Amino acid sequence: MARKTDGSGSIYLRGDIWWVKIRVDGKPVYESSKSPKKSDAIKLRDKLLAKKHRGEITGGTPDKILIGSLLDDILKSDIEESTRYVWEKVVEKNLRPYFGNTRAARLSTDLMDKYRVKRTEKDGVTHSTVNRELSILRTSFHNARKRTPPKVNLIPYFPMVKETTVRKGFLSDETYSKLRDALEHDLKALFVSGYITGIRKSELTDIQWPQVDFESDIIALEPDETKNREGRSVPILKGDMRDLLVAAKKERDEKWPDSPWVYNRQGKKIKDFRTGWEKGCKEAGVPELHFHDLRRSAVRNMRRAGVPQVIRMKISGHKTDSMERRYNIVDADDLSIAKEFMERRMMAAK
């Protein structure tokens, strides 16, 4: 049957049902009125045109958008460069091969469950890792929904497995020395600084030489370089930390004077050091140690040294008491100290 139009959209019959067609950005957008009444199609056409003028729909309807497009957008979004670097690896290695060619409108919880089974049973990763991967996918959908016009109309339920195992790893002073000696040259200063100050890995790798003041023995972290967007200063301690930083500055001045990066590989910013880290940890006898465990260890060590909580939080960059408490790990040494104090009290009470 001939299409009927008033110049701003078309309505036409397909069988007994009236359909609407409008053009957005030069591309056709079709939608069924799901009704045999022409009046319903006219109302739908007017509704679509209103959405078009408000910028709520785009050429190429959301039901045809591929998940790969959403992943492209999230990697181009306003996120930290260190985050973008990690997300890009996750997207290209795992998310895009599995979900990339699937239409966003067809993403289902069942499909995500199958992805989890593949990653845990076939690839051998933990449920926590899959949670982190699916959270990137979820963020891409939320961003797509917020776009003008939106690229997705609905956000599916993203199944997350409850993480009951909280990491409680930390590094003892004895093992610290072993790991310091086992790590490759380029990672020693980075490791020691993380162990002593508790600075986040992403914050450490962003530090440049103008932020390091050897006269005051202070490293200044600018607001735009920290996770919580608040500037702070951390001390450079005498011993390993200061010695390694001074040596790194001398090496930089002699070999690559134009490099701004404090923690570097031949003048280039350190980004991914998992291979060197895992090799050093294995050699030092702590193969399960994560770099983030240094942050936990630093807070514990500052607490033991009598550093007040408010100062510990300023140095490590923790913003809330609850976050700081998560790093107050009780180990055998803590219990021994507690036992000594408790025994003293009992003896004094006699």
Side-chain angles (χ1 to χ4, degrees), residues 123-251:
D123 299 340
V125 304
T126 65
H127 284 292
S128 297
T129 296
V130 181
N131 283 353
R132 301 291 86 75
E133 293 170 354
L134 289 179
S135 69
I136 297 174
L137 184 62
R138 179 173 58 191
T139 299
S140 74
F141 269 75
H142 279 286
N143 281 17
R145 182 67 182 86
K146 294 175 183 177
R147 292 177 70 92
T148 304
K151 283 192 173 183
V152 298
N153 292 322
L154 296 173
I155 298 176
Y157 169 70
F158 284 78
M160 297 292 173
V161 172
K162 184 177 180 180
E163 299 175 25
T164 56
T165 303
V166 178
R167 282 194 58 79
K168 296 183 178 180
F170 60 90
L171 191 66
S172 67
D173 289 334
E174 179 184 1
T175 310
Y176 154 79
S177 300
K178 294 180 180 178
L179 183 52
R180 177 200 60 203
D181 296 339
L183 286 170
E184 59 190 44
H185 171 72
D186 295 337
L187 297 182
K188 291 183 186 296
L190 182 71
F191 159 65
V192 170
S193 298
Y195 178 73
I196 290 176
T197 66
I199 300 177
R200 297 177 180 87
K201 178 174 64 175
S202 60
E203 294 173 347
L204 279 170
T205 54
D206 280 343
I207 295 174
Q208 300 186 27
W209 283 116
Q211 298 169 243
V212 180
D213 183 353
F214 285 118
E215 291 187 8
S216 302
D217 278 339
I218 290 292
I219 297 176
L221 300 179
E222 302 300 331
D224 61 346
E225 297 165 344
T226 64
K227 183 178 180 181
N228 56 25
R229 298 302 181 186
E230 293 183 359
R232 68 184 193 274
S233 296
V234 298
I236 300 174
L237 270 61
K238 294 179 181 178
D240 285 348
M241 184 178 179
R242 195 178 198 284
D243 293 345
L244 286 168
L245 287 175
V246 169
K249 180 65 164 57
K250 181 180 179 181
E251 184 178 34

Side-chain angles (χ1 to χ4, degrees), residues 9 29 71 115 120 126 136 142 151 183 223 248-249 309-310 324:
V29 175
L71 295 173
Y115 175 78
T120 56
T126 65
I136 297 174
H142 279 286
K151 283 192 173 183
L183 286 170
K249 180 65 164 57
Q309 182 187 40
V310 65
E324 210 271 354

Side-chain angles (χ1 to χ4, degrees), residues 8-188:
S8 59
S10 301
I11 58 174
Y12 60 96
L13 276 171
R14 182 182 292 179
D16 295 329
I17 302 299
W18 283 95
W19 280 69
V20 174
K21 171 189 174 183
I22 64 172
R23 299 191 74 84
V24 182
D25 299 331
K27 298 179 181 179
V29 175
Y30 302 90
E31 189 164 332
S32 170
S33 71
K34 301 178 182 179
S35 171
K37 297 180 180 179
K38 181 179 177 181
S39 60
D40 290 336
I42 293 174
K43 291 178 182 178
L44 175 61
R45 180 198 60 191
D46 294 342
K47 181 179 179 180
L48 291 176
L49 289 173
K51 285 187 174 182
K52 171 185 174 181
H53 292 305
R54 291 196 300 267
E56 295 177 1
I57 57 176
T58 182
T61 54
D63 65 342
K64 294 183 180 180
I65 297 293
L66 298 180
I67 292 177
S69 174
L70 308 190
L71 295 173
D72 289 337
D73 291 341
I74 196 65
L75 293 178
K76 297 175 185 176
S77 64
D78 184 20
I79 55 178
E80 297 287 344
E81 283 304 313
S82 56
T83 300
R84 193 190 320 278
Y85 178 78
V86 174
W87 283 16
E88 188 174 46
K89 286 184 173 295
V90 174
V91 166
E92 301 305 334
K93 183 178 180 180
N94 300 306
L95 295 178
R96 193 186 301 280
Y98 196 90
F99 297 106
N101 291 325
T102 300
R103 292 187 181 184
R106 294 185 178 179
L107 179 64
S108 66
T109 302
D110 285 344
L111 183 59
M112 287 184 275
D113 285 340
K114 292 178 181 177
Y115 175 78
R116 183 178 293 276
V117 170
K118 173 188 177 298
R119 294 290 285 137
T120 56
E121 296 185 4
K122 294 184 179 180
D123 299 340
V125 304
T126 65
H127 284 292
S128 297
T129 296
V130 181
N131 283 353
R132 301 291 86 75
E133 293 170 354
L134 289 179
S135 69
I136 297 174
L137 184 62
R138 179 173 58 191
T139 299
S140 74
F141 269 75
H142 279 286
N143 281 17
R145 182 67 182 86
K146 294 175 183 177
R147 292 177 70 92
T148 304
K151 283 192 173 183
V152 298
N153 292 322
L154 296 173
I155 298 176
Y157 169 70
F158 284 78
M160 297 292 173
V161 172
K162 184 177 180 180
E163 299 175 25
T164 56
T165 303
V166 178
R167 282 194 58 79
K168 296 183 178 180
F170 60 90
L171 191 66
S172 67
D173 289 334
E174 179 184 1
T175 310
Y176 154 79
S177 300
K178 294 180 180 178
L179 183 52
R180 177 200 60 203
D181 296 339
L183 286 170
E184 59 190 44
H185 171 72
D186 295 337
L187 297 182
K188 291 183 186 296

Side-chain angles (χ1 to χ4, degrees), residues 318-336:
H318 289 117
K319 197 170 183 179
T320 64
D321 289 347
S322 61
M323 286 296 292
E324 210 271 354
R325 286 195 298 271
R326 287 177 56 193
Y327 293 90
N328 283 347
I329 298 171
V330 177
D331 61 13
D333 291 338
D334 290 320
L335 294 176
S336 178

